[in-house]
Amino acid sequence: MNLSRIILGFLALSPMTGYDLKRHFDSTVGHFWSADKAQIYRTLAQLVADGYAEVETVVGSAGPDRQEHRITDAGRAALAAWLATKPERQVNRDSFLARVFFGADLDEDALRSLFAQHRVAIQAQLARFEQVRAEATGHDRGSRLRLATLDNGVAHLRTELAWLDAVEEELA
């Protein structure tokens, strides 16, 4: 249900194709919610079937036709109801932490490599988030709330880097 409501949230911002939605997931909310193309397209079909979204074929001028989805009044009501409910915490799955948890038998080089690879990935993601933050232009309430979620991602990544420093120091 959460994925369908997040998609409705995107459609409330503007009409989008499945491709547009995937790009928005990856570039905006990817640090706290992910969805693959198959999930997005399945969910879009269900939203249309439920009457929460409608689809319009937009003739492509330089490419193929686009299947653009728009939120309906019923979709806006479903989104508003979801926004007003108590948020539930999702289980976090982190394969890096699973490797750390079971990593006692790794030799020193493998352990250092595991931490170094994770550090590089975190630093790259942090740089992307900080670039998005620096280029942010909107100052309306919605823009400020979306930036607040980005700031949350930045804070988590910085905390992750500090945690990596502490664990590596402890293991040294």
Side-chain angles (χ1 to χ4, degrees):
M1 166 117 94
N2 288 327
L3 176 60
S4 68
R5 297 318 183 250
I6 292 169
I7 289 175
L8 286 175
F10 278 126
L11 296 179
L13 296 174
S14 70
M16 295 185 195
T17 65
Y19 176 80
D20 296 333
L21 284 163
K22 179 61 176 151
R23 270 195 4 248
H24 277 78
F25 267 94
D26 293 346
S27 66
T28 61
V29 301
H31 64 285
F32 63 87
W33 204 276
S34 64
D36 62 39
K37 287 189 296 188
Q39 291 173 305
I40 290 170
Y41 283 101
R42 261 194 323 271
T43 304
L44 280 171
Q46 188 61 54
L47 289 170
V48 169
D50 292 343
Y52 294 154
E54 54 193 20
V55 63
E56 176 185 347
T57 301
V58 177
V59 177
S61 58
D65 294 348
R66 297 169 34 98
Q67 298 297 309
E68 199 169 73
H69 294 79
R70 300 175 191 281
I71 192 169
T72 63
D73 290 339
R76 287 186 192 283
L79 177 60
W82 177 72
L83 289 170
T85 62
K86 179 183 176 188
E88 64 280 353
R89 292 295 291 171
Q90 297 292 313
V91 174
N92 185 20
R93 295 180 182 164
D94 189 325
S95 65
F96 169 73
L97 286 179
R99 286 173 174 85
V100 171
F101 187 88
F102 295 110
D105 291 335
L106 288 174
D107 63 38
E108 289 303 312
D109 288 341
L111 191 58
R112 271 194 295 280
S113 176
L114 175 67
F115 277 83
Q117 290 173 21
H118 188 65
R119 180 179 300 281
V120 166
I122 295 297
Q123 289 170 331
Q125 190 173 21
L126 180 59
R128 284 191 305 275
F129 286 3
E130 289 174 337
Q131 180 179 354
V132 169
R133 186 66 167 102
E135 296 170 356
T137 57
H139 298 290
D140 60 273
R141 185 176 191 212
S143 295
R144 290 191 332 256
L145 288 169
R146 287 186 288 278
L147 284 175
T149 65
L150 180 64
D151 291 342
N152 176 274
V154 167
H156 280 273
L157 292 171
R158 288 180 179 157
T159 300
E160 181 88 356
L161 289 172
W163 174 82
L164 283 169
D165 290 342
V167 172
E168 288 177 318
E169 183 178 316
E170 182 179 323
L171 293 174

